[in-house]
């Protein structure tokens, strides 16, 4: 059994930007069947702005945007609701978030497929492509 999370704003399509998405759609896969679909809340940039903690000091890290202690802390908050998942689907994301997911054992996949159901099926049949050129 595996769980595949997708970032979404509407529950049906994969959001173009991981950090700005408002929710996760999590599919539980058992064998070749989707046995459960659930929507989970997701912390994102809008939450950090409301808290007044979305500054740009993290851009000073020599590795670029999305790295450094402040960014790592924000990413951990964003990842908390999918810690039981093995794969995360997005259509775009920063390098720091991508590496952060890898570091906690979640396989990030940057897909060009917008429809969640089609993208999850592509993960299940092994045809999903990771478009790392879409990382920023």
């Amino acid at each position: 059994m595996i769980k595949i999370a997708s970032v979404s704003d509407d529950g049906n399509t994969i959001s173009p930007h991981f950090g700005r998405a408002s929710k996760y759609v999590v599919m539980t896969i058992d064998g070749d069947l989707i046995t459960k679909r659930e929507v989970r809340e997701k912390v994102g940039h809008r939450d950090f702005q409301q808290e007044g903690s979305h500054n740009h000091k993290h851009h000073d890290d020599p590795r670029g945007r999305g790295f450094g202690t402040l960014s790592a802390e924000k990413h951990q908050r964003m990842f908390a609701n999918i810690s039981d998942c093995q794969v995360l689907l997005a259509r775009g994301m920063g390098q720091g978030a991508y590496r952060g997911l890898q570091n906690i054992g979640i396989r990030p996949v940057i897909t060009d497929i917008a429809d969640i159901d089609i993208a999850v099926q592509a993960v299940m049949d092994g045809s999903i492509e990771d478009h790392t050129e879409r990382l920023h």
Side-chain angles (χ1 to χ4, degrees), residues 24 26 40-42 77-85:
Y24 293 111
V26 177
R40 299 180 185 177
E41 290 303 310
K42 180 189 163 293
R77 288 179 58 195
M78 287 187 208
F79 305 156
N81 276 353
I82 57 164
S83 62
D84 60 333
C85 297

Side-chain angles (χ1 to χ4, degrees), residues 5 7 18 24 75-76 78-80 82-83 85-90 93-110:
V7 292
F18 170 77
Y24 293 111
H75 291 148
Q76 290 308 310
M78 287 187 208
F79 305 156
I82 57 164
S83 62
C85 297
Q86 290 74 42
V87 178
L88 179 280
L89 300 174
M93 107 178 16
Q95 291 272 355
Y98 189 88
R99 301 285 178 250
L101 285 161
Q102 290 176 321
N103 289 341
I104 63 168
I106 296 175
R107 174 185 165 210
V109 178
I110 308 304

Side-chain angles (χ1 to χ4, degrees), residues 100-121:
L101 285 161
Q102 290 176 321
N103 289 341
I104 63 168
I106 296 175
R107 174 185 165 210
V109 178
I110 308 304
T111 182
D112 59 356
I113 302 169
D115 184 277
I116 290 173
D117 295 312
I118 294 170
V120 168
Q121 186 60 50

Side-chain angles (χ1 to χ4, degrees), residues 50-79:
Q50 289 172 357
E51 294 170 3
S53 64
H54 188 76
N55 62 42
H56 294 276
K57 291 181 183 176
H58 59 282
H59 295 219
D60 294 338
D61 190 282
R63 294 170 289 180
R65 289 187 63 196
F67 289 96
T69 305
L70 182 60
S71 290
E73 290 169 3
K74 288 179 181 180
H75 291 148
Q76 290 308 310
R77 288 179 58 195
M78 287 187 208
F79 305 156

Side-chain angles (χ1 to χ4, degrees), residues 28-63:
T28 302
I29 315 300
D30 194 354
D32 60 356
L33 296 175
I34 297 171
T35 58
K36 185 176 181 183
R37 178 187 187 111
E38 62 185 300
V39 176
R40 299 180 185 177
E41 290 303 310
K42 180 189 163 293
V43 174
H45 293 316
R46 73 197 180 295
D47 299 295
F48 301 131
Q49 288 170 342
Q50 289 172 357
E51 294 170 3
S53 64
H54 188 76
N55 62 42
H56 294 276
K57 291 181 183 176
H58 59 282
H59 295 219
D60 294 338
D61 190 282
R63 294 170 289 180

Side-chain angles (χ1 to χ4, degrees), residues 8-15 22-23 25 116:
S8 185
D9 290 306
D10 64 9
N12 297 306
T13 57
I14 299 172
S15 295
S22 62
K23 61 189 76 157
V25 175
I116 290 173

